[in-house]
Amino acid sequence: MARGGHNKDRDDAERKCIVTGEVQPKAGLIRFVVGPDNQVVPDILGKLPGRGMYVTANRDVLEEAKKGQFSRSAKQAVTVPDGLVEEVERQLARRTVDLIALTRKAGRAVCGFEKVKGWLAGGERVRVLVQASDGSERGKTKLWTPEGARYFGCLTSTELGLAFGRQSVIHGALATGRLSDRVVEEATKLRGLREGNGGDTASGKDKEAK
């Protein structure tokens, strides 16, 4: 088993992006398949039947893939639906929200400025600090990303609210564990679509602390 409880074989699996030609871990790629109607379908969970086509989780790269790369990779004419990139973003956001909700239900996540601050100051092993993209920058800078943790600011306050069972949430924290590692994987992809090359909306805190 690899660090964080992941299966090492799964973590080490690599695929080539059909646009950039770069070989990288599957965790940083989005899988697509060709459906029965020859239409390109995103496979966020990686479980749909058929030969997978992998694209780097980045909006610009996905837009480029629509310009003939899917047909070349599939070695046949395929249809790319309108709004494909937006659909991928929607599914990734929903997947990330669902995983945070599962982490909360497992008792491994808290929300609210004071509770999150308490975790950060009290020695709780925080794996992820999440803050709403539309939250106050002044308020967000009062919290910090612990060493070895990850920061994400790619979800809105409404989306975080759905994850925590509230109308809206600005600050949240997830404890270390398998579910939190899965949140990191999906949120990293979502950030690639919403923030270009992984840029941050809150002073560069999205980078993993060393």
Side-chain angles (χ1 to χ4, degrees):
M1 300 292 284
R3 185 179 66 178
H6 276 185
N7 183 283
K8 190 174 186 297
D9 290 338
R10 179 188 174 189
D11 284 353
D12 289 349
E14 295 183 331
R15 295 291 186 272
K16 180 186 289 187
C17 173
I18 65 173
V19 177
T20 67
E22 180 184 357
V23 176
Q24 58 180 298
K26 289 171 64 177
L29 299 161
I30 297 169
R31 184 177 188 263
F32 296 85
V33 297
V34 178
D37 55 357
N38 291 332
Q39 182 166 281
V40 175
V41 179
D43 181 21
I44 301 303
L45 297 180
K47 295 181 178 181
L48 293 178
R51 177 179 174 273
M53 299 177 288
Y54 293 84
V55 182
T56 301
N58 177 279
R59 179 171 291 274
D60 291 340
V61 178
L62 282 169
E63 292 288 355
E64 187 65 27
K66 293 162 52 180
K67 302 176 181 178
Q69 297 290 355
F70 284 119
S71 292
R72 281 190 281 274
S73 178
K75 298 180 180 179
Q76 68 180 78
V78 299
T79 301
V80 179
D82 294 336
L84 177 66
V85 177
E86 289 72 21
E87 177 61 18
V88 170
E89 178 184 337
R90 186 194 69 78
Q91 291 190 29
L92 280 174
R94 183 64 189 179
R95 177 65 174 161
T96 304
V97 166
D98 287 347
L99 286 171
I100 294 175
L102 287 174
T103 308
R104 171 182 63 84
K105 291 174 182 177
R108 305 293 292 168
V110 295
C111 66
F113 182 87
E114 293 300 331
K115 287 186 178 180
V116 172
K117 184 178 180 180
W119 268 28
L120 296 175
E124 178 73 31
R125 294 186 61 190
V126 173
R127 177 71 173 103
V128 182
L129 172 64
V130 290
Q131 294 182 307
S133 58
D134 53 343
S136 164
E137 294 302 322
R138 182 179 180 182
K140 290 191 288 186
T141 57
K142 294 180 180 179
L143 298 177
W144 62 95
T145 306
E147 181 179 359
R150 294 292 299 273
Y151 173 89
F152 293 100
C154 55
L155 290 168
T156 67
S157 58
T158 299
E159 289 169 334
L160 283 177
L162 287 173
F164 284 97
R166 299 189 177 186
Q167 185 173 355
S168 67
V169 166
I170 303 298
H171 314 281
L174 283 61
T176 55
R178 184 69 176 270
L179 281 172
S180 296
D181 288 340
R182 291 168 65 190
V183 170
V184 168
E185 186 173 306
E186 300 304 325
T188 298
K189 295 178 184 179
L190 178 63
R191 187 177 62 196
L193 268 69
R194 290 187 168 177
E195 302 175 7
N197 294 320
D200 176 39
T201 58
S203 306
K205 294 187 296 181
D206 62 324
K207 297 180 181 179
E208 184 169 8
K210 300 298 183 181

